[in-house]
Amino acid sequence: MSLTTTVLPNRSPRFERWISAGRILARSMRFRLAVGYVSLVTVVLLGAGFAFQVALKNSIEREARALLTERWGAVRGYLHLSEGRPLWVYETGDSVQVDSVNRLRRRLLIADANGNLLEISEHFPSPDLETRSALRSAAVLREPAFEFRETTQGRGFMIRRGPFPHGDTLLVLALAQPLQGINQQTRIVLKWYFWSLPVLIGLLGWVAWQMAGRALLPLRQLATAAEVVSSETLSLRISPRGARDEVDVLTVRFNEMLDRLERSFDRVKRFTIDASHELRTPLTAVRGQLEVALITAKTADEFRTAMETAMEDVERLSKIVRSLLLLSQAESGQVVLQTSLVDVSRLVRECAAHFELPASAKGLDLSIEVPENCTAEVDPVQFERLLMNLLSNAFKYTRPGDSIRVSVRRFESDIVLTVADTGPGISKEHLPFIFDRFYRVREDGGDADKGIGLGLSFVQWIAQAHGGRVQVQSEEGCGATFTVTLPAGDSSNHLRVLPID
Ligand code: ADP
């Protein structure tokens, strides 16, 4: 038994590098575009070359046929028969006639119906092919036929051959017309054309490579830009070329994506800064109050007062921490709505009842406008939170003499809750931000200062988590109207989880 060992060729690392570079190049869009373009143009040029060749050949043959048909008729004028032999009758003094007959007799063959040669020109192509039987069969043709013939030297001829009745006698006539002369020129032209094709295609390949490179330049810029984008360089933008093509659309979309990313990074940054600021303020206050108490307080009452003030700030701190925790849970989709069919009218009346006494104490006119038994599929806990936030804002920001109106309306598939007040309102420049976390309009002290700027963020999240939305209409000095639209839902319980935006 013999063993055969196959030795695999050991490729050098350099060769491997070449191979992988080649593979990368072959995969590149630029290469594929250029190759596609060159292949298409090559096919078109080759096709055009061949089509031209065929068209030219046909036209040459058509011309030869027309010439032979014309000469066939001319022979009839000059040819006569004398005792069965051909006799050419013409004016020997008329140079035109002499020329004409000489031209006719230059490539001509005349035979009788039995195939016996009567006259054959010296220049008639391939006379050996004109056998007696071939001539006999030509005599019985219905009409003269054309055929292409090539001599052993490769010269092409168009031949018209067939019966030629002369009085009572049937002759066989064959006339030949060389194609070689015209073919020669065509061949030269086509040879040049096909030889110059590789150079032309090479040139086109180079042009296609450059064009593809130019067309893909914005894509490469996009790729480079995407490479350097980080949280620090989110302000980077690529200017569209102004061509309004697909690449421009891609560039615009890429820039829009960066806009969105930048905005959400900014929001996260602002949130972190705001959160630390919000936590630091009460912490500093607590620390200050305790330090002052330690140094100055002498009696138990003084310590008690200091601790009570500190407790208020600690309470505020824990409220912020609780709210933040809840918001971050909502953000990560951990808060699950427990929806059920709830009598929204009753819920609204109960919540508003909490504000009746404080409102009349503050000199506010609180009115409720809810239909009997308006039910909807909501999470009662979250709905109450939403309503309490809106009511407490309206209560907080209105002044004595102002009014607050709470209403619920049921539409076909939605319920619309409105909390409107005639308070100071919100100016245009603040309106777009009031749903952002920690965003507060007034920092000028008073009750309004007690808010932590998270109430409306909750309102927005709760509305969206129910598949609804919240809108605000307000102008400075003209009150504020918050409208919450929620889908009324059906009677089956369902859960919905929605991360906060
Ligand atoms: P806050 O805890 O400060 O009330 P919110 O998120 O509830 O925080 O509200 C954000 C800001 O929107 C408030 O600081 C306030 O300036 C403004 N705002 C909210 N509701 C009203 C209202 N009914 N009237 C006037 N301004 C309001």
Side-chain angles (χ1 to χ4, degrees):
M1 206 174 91
S2 70
L3 269 178
T4 335
T5 322
T6 315
V7 183
L8 288 170
N10 202 3
R11 290 170 172 178
S12 72
R14 197 168 176 190
F15 182 69
E16 290 289 345
R17 269 205 305 279
W18 273 98
I19 294 271
S20 80
R23 280 203 193 112
I24 291 170
L25 180 72
R27 270 200 304 267
S28 80
M29 216 171 175
R30 184 178 186 182
F31 181 79
R32 280 186 286 162
L33 273 177
V35 166
Y37 175 71
V38 169
S39 317
L40 187 74
V41 172
T42 306
V43 169
V44 169
L45 286 180
L46 280 176
F50 286 121
F52 174 68
Q53 196 175 23
V54 170
L56 206 65
K57 189 168 168 270
N58 285 345
S59 134
I60 290 167
E61 286 183 6
R62 228 182 3 259
E63 249 177 58
R65 278 198 188 104
L67 200 77
L68 287 173
T69 311
E70 188 196 314
R71 285 191 186 160
W72 191 273
V75 168
R76 202 171 286 286
Y78 293 112
L79 186 67
H80 291 264
L81 280 180
S82 163
E83 294 170 6
R85 306 290 311 171
L87 179 71
W88 295 89
V89 181
Y90 57 96
E91 284 290 332
T92 45
D94 184 344
S95 62
V96 176
Q97 288 195 21
V98 173
D99 270 2
S100 179
V101 171
N102 283 345
R103 214 174 305 125
L104 290 176
R105 297 181 72 189
R106 203 171 146 72
R107 290 188 188 85
L108 162 141
L109 177 150
I110 304 170
D112 62 18
N114 292 323
N116 297 315
L117 276 179
L118 301 178
E119 179 176 336
I120 182 160
S121 322
E122 190 189 341
H123 299 293
F124 192 83
S126 314
D128 43 315
L129 290 178
E130 303 303 337
T131 57
R132 182 184 277 260
S133 63
L135 291 170
R136 260 208 303 262
S137 52
V140 292
L141 287 174
R142 266 171 22 115
E143 54 182 40
F146 290 101
E147 70 177 83
F148 177 74
R149 183 173 293 176
E150 202 168 43
T151 63
T152 42
Q153 292 89 42
R155 297 183 69 195
F157 284 89
M158 180 63 78
I159 303 231
R160 189 173 201 220
R161 191 174 59 161
F164 190 81
H166 192 282
D168 298 337
T169 320
L170 180 68
L171 297 174
V172 174
L173 177 66
L175 293 173
Q177 171 63 30
L179 301 171
Q180 190 71 14
I182 320 168
N183 261 357
Q184 197 63 35
Q185 287 165 19
T186 320
R187 272 188 201 156
I188 292 170
V189 172
L190 284 171
K191 203 169 93 181
W192 271 102
Y193 178 76
F194 284 113
W195 272 108
S196 60
L197 262 190
V199 181
L200 198 68
I201 287 165
L203 205 71
L204 277 171
W206 182 79
V207 172
W209 179 256
Q210 297 303 324
M211 274 167 54
R214 277 193 66 162
L216 295 172
L217 184 69
L219 280 185
R220 283 208 301 277
Q221 284 175 342
L222 265 183
T224 318
E227 241 170 51
V228 296
V229 167
S230 72
S231 56
E232 265 67 54
T233 51
L234 272 177
S235 56
L236 188 135
R237 296 289 177 275
I238 302 166
S239 4
R241 297 168 307 153
R244 295 175 181 210
D245 56 3
E246 291 84 347
V247 178
D248 266 6
V249 172
L250 185 65
T251 311
V252 171
R253 298 284 170 272
F254 182 77
N255 285 342
E256 283 171 2
M257 186 192 76
L258 285 180
D259 279 347
R260 285 196 297 276
L261 270 177
E262 194 179 14
R263 273 203 302 275
S264 75
F265 260 75
D266 280 352
R267 244 194 348 247
V268 171
K269 251 193 231 160
R270 212 172 53 228
F271 174 72
T272 318
I273 294 167
D274 290 347
S276 7
H277 177 76
E278 288 302 321
L279 294 173
R280 206 182 52 197
T281 314
L283 267 178
T284 317
V286 171
R287 189 196 165 107
Q289 284 147 14
L290 293 179
E291 272 175 1
V292 170
L294 272 178
I295 297 164
T296 59
K298 301 269 181 319
T299 64
D301 275 352
E302 281 170 347
F303 273 113
R304 190 180 184 81
T305 317
M307 284 170 79
E308 274 171 3
T309 327
M311 267 306 282
E312 273 175 31
D313 284 320
V314 170
E315 189 50 49
R316 183 176 160 80
L317 253 180
S318 60
K319 190 176 156 195
I320 294 174
V321 172
R322 266 201 314 275
S323 302
L324 277 180
L325 190 69
L326 192 63
L327 267 177
S328 59
Q329 282 173 340
E331 199 169 49
S332 55
Q334 287 175 40
V335 178
V336 178
L337 292 189
Q338 306 288 342
T339 60
S340 57
L341 200 63
V342 173
D343 183 354
V344 176
S345 305
R346 190 176 53 83
L347 211 61
V348 171
R349 272 194 293 269
E350 279 172 11
C351 287
H354 289 105
F355 288 88
E356 267 164 13
L357 275 179
S360 69
K362 195 177 167 184
L364 297 172
D365 172 26
L366 176 65
S367 63
I368 304 158
E369 217 179 275
V370 287
E372 277 303 313
N373 253 335
C374 175
T375 54
E377 190 85 13
V378 294
D379 179 330
V381 176
Q382 299 300 349
F383 185 82
E384 197 179 315
R385 188 195 294 272
L386 174 148
L387 187 58
M388 291 300 269
N389 273 320
L390 290 178
L391 276 171
S392 65
N393 274 353
F395 180 79
K396 220 160 34 177
Y397 298 111
T398 41
R399 298 143 304 190
D402 280 333
S403 62
I404 301 171
R405 195 171 55 82
V406 187
S407 71
V408 175
R409 272 169 302 155
R410 170 83 205 241
F411 291 96
E412 207 163 273
S413 56
D414 292 327
I415 55 159
V416 177
L417 165 75
T418 311
V419 178
D421 64 61
T422 57
I426 305 156
S427 63
K428 258 201 191 83
E429 73 259 29
H430 293 297
L431 269 183
F433 309 106
I434 56 165
F435 293 100
D436 287 359
R437 271 158 284 179
F438 293 119
Y439 192 86
R440 277 170 298 178
V441 178
R442 270 166 291 274
E443 298 280 355
D444 51 1
D447 268 358
D449 195 39
K450 289 275 188 276
I452 53 172
L454 292 176
L456 287 180
S457 303
F458 271 113
V459 170
Q460 190 177 50
W461 170 73
I462 294 166
Q464 287 177 350
H466 280 85
R469 62 185 187 279
V470 55
Q471 288 160 305
V472 58
Q473 263 187 322
S474 183
E475 259 180 59
E476 201 164 13
C478 299
T481 303
F482 287 85
T483 310
V484 180
T485 311
L486 300 180
D490 57 25
S491 54
S492 61
N493 279 0
H494 68 277
L495 301 180
R496 196 195 296 271
V497 184
L498 187 89
I500 200 160
D501 183 25

